[in-house]
Amino acid sequence: MTIIDGKKTAAEIRAELKVRAGAFEEKYHRKVGLAVVLIGEDPASEVYVRNKVKACEDAGIRSFSYALPTQATQEEAEALILSLATNEEVDGILVQLPLPRHLNADAILAKIPAEKDVDGFSKENIGALALNGVATVACTPLGVIELLKRYQVPVSGKRAVVLGRSNIVGRPMALLLLNADATVTVCHSKTENLSEICKEADILVAAIGKPKFVTAEMVKEGAVVIDVGINRKEGKLCGDVDFEAVKDKASFITPVPGGVGPMTIAMLLNNTVQAAERRQ
Ligand code: GUN
């Protein structure tokens, strides 16, 4: 059994991106730029945003930070995005989710031009992904595919099961696996015989947000188990997979923390450098 080291892999990718961002700066006499927009005071979001800004600086990417108060209006939020959309120094725009409830998140995100949509949430990018075309892909599922690649896990022809159908993880994850020629099943809260379906998976991706939901009985001997969950249980961070019980059955498994999590930020930097290169 191999424990997939997301922290180490993410550090390698970030070092590669630093070289690419440096080459961009050399060639175009400006830094790659990422605008990070935080609206409101969600404590988890504040931590995520801080980490993203720090990661940019480490990689030689210029970050533009914007914090709007919780009471910000729809018009103020949209006006900010529109000004970033036309700012030539800004290659990528990230609006940290969730937004305060009175705001229409879809309408705000729709103001981000597809070429600056480093989260891959836009209709254009989701559509391009669904058509197996050139797309910017959501950072977390992209991080999962990159881990499979770097650990040389074969995907083509394999039976992949994705637990969860969220717009941010489950759906794009299923499309990426399909584009990589896996046979893909998506399970969700209404799925019947979920355990039996999981048990057929060569590659099982858990993204449902339920602590230790995946037990040893649900996993085939030799399966690759990817845990996207980040849950707090009794003050401790834990994934959607019962790691201790499942690890002896798996051929590869990601831990929480230190698995998929660190890859998300690395893929954000990747999408930002890529957006800059494509824009130039
Ligand atoms: N909130 C939780 N995950 C994400 C993400 O990947 N991108 C953004 N913008 N917000 C998030």
Side-chain angles (χ1 to χ4, degrees):
M1 185 267 304
T2 302
I3 296 178
I4 292 179
D5 189 342
K7 206 173 158 186
K8 176 167 150 261
T9 307
E12 287 164 10
I13 292 170
R14 284 165 63 164
E16 292 162 19
L17 289 167
K18 187 172 183 162
V19 174
R20 243 168 94 188
F24 180 95
E25 187 176 358
E26 183 81 13
K27 191 160 172 197
Y28 299 110
H29 309 289
R30 72 169 180 91
K31 279 191 191 306
V32 174
L34 175 68
V36 180
V37 177
L38 175 65
I39 309 178
E41 291 165 7
D42 181 71
S45 289
E46 285 172 356
V47 174
Y48 290 141
V49 161
R50 212 178 312 131
N51 289 341
K52 288 171 183 178
V53 167
K54 168 84 168 43
C56 280
E57 276 153 22
D58 290 348
I61 295 171
R62 184 173 171 199
S63 64
F64 302 81
S65 283
Y66 296 86
L68 297 184
T70 309
Q71 328 73 271
T73 64
Q74 186 75 24
E75 291 69 33
E76 285 165 344
E78 290 184 15
L80 172 59
I81 304 304
L82 287 176
S83 75
L84 297 170
T86 53
N87 184 334
E88 284 305 321
E89 291 182 311
V90 170
D91 297 291
I93 303 171
L94 179 138
V95 177
Q96 186 64 31
L97 302 177
L99 295 183
R101 272 209 301 276
H102 69 279
L103 294 174
N104 179 342
D106 287 345
I108 292 168
L109 295 178
K111 296 284 185 279
I112 302 174
E115 68 272 16
K116 294 191 179 186
D117 168 34
V118 285
D119 259 328
F121 292 168
S122 68
K123 289 190 170 71
E124 283 103 321
N125 279 315
I126 299 274
L129 176 65
L131 296 172
N132 199 8
V134 178
T136 299
V137 181
C139 304
T140 300
L142 187 61
V144 171
I145 287 288
E146 193 62 32
L147 282 177
L148 295 176
K149 243 184 233 159
R150 293 198 181 221
Y151 278 81
Q152 296 177 24
V153 172
V155 176
S156 176
K158 299 298 177 191
R159 182 81 194 264
V161 173
V162 178
L163 292 179
R165 54 174 162 177
S166 71
N167 291 347
I168 296 188
V169 183
R171 276 168 211 263
M173 186 76 254
L175 289 168
L176 280 170
L177 289 163
L178 181 61
N179 292 349
D181 299 323
T183 301
V184 182
T185 304
V186 181
C187 296
H188 47 77
S189 54
K190 302 289 195 297
T191 298
E192 295 178 1
N193 303 320
L194 185 139
S195 291
E196 286 71 21
I197 296 169
C198 290
K199 192 129 202 183
E200 291 183 11
D202 301 308
I203 301 167
L204 180 61
V205 181
I208 38 171
K210 290 191 180 162
K212 301 191 183 180
F213 180 86
V214 175
T215 58
E217 297 72 58
M218 294 161 70
V219 176
K220 182 165 82 176
E221 196 70 46
V224 176
V225 180
I226 306 292
D227 190 348
V228 182
I230 299 183
N231 310 290
R232 269 180 211 286
K233 203 181 180 190
E234 290 143 19
K236 262 187 71 182
L237 212 57
C238 86
D240 291 349
V241 175
D242 185 349
F243 182 86
E244 282 308 316
V246 169
K247 74 177 194 316
D248 298 319
K249 279 183 119 176
S251 57
F252 292 86
I253 187 167
T254 63
V256 176
V260 174
M263 292 296 287
T264 297
I265 287 192
M267 292 301 105
L268 170 66
L269 302 179
N270 173 77
N271 287 353
T272 303
V273 173
Q274 183 178 277
E277 290 168 349
R278 284 186 186 157
R279 251 163 46 78
Q280 287 286 348

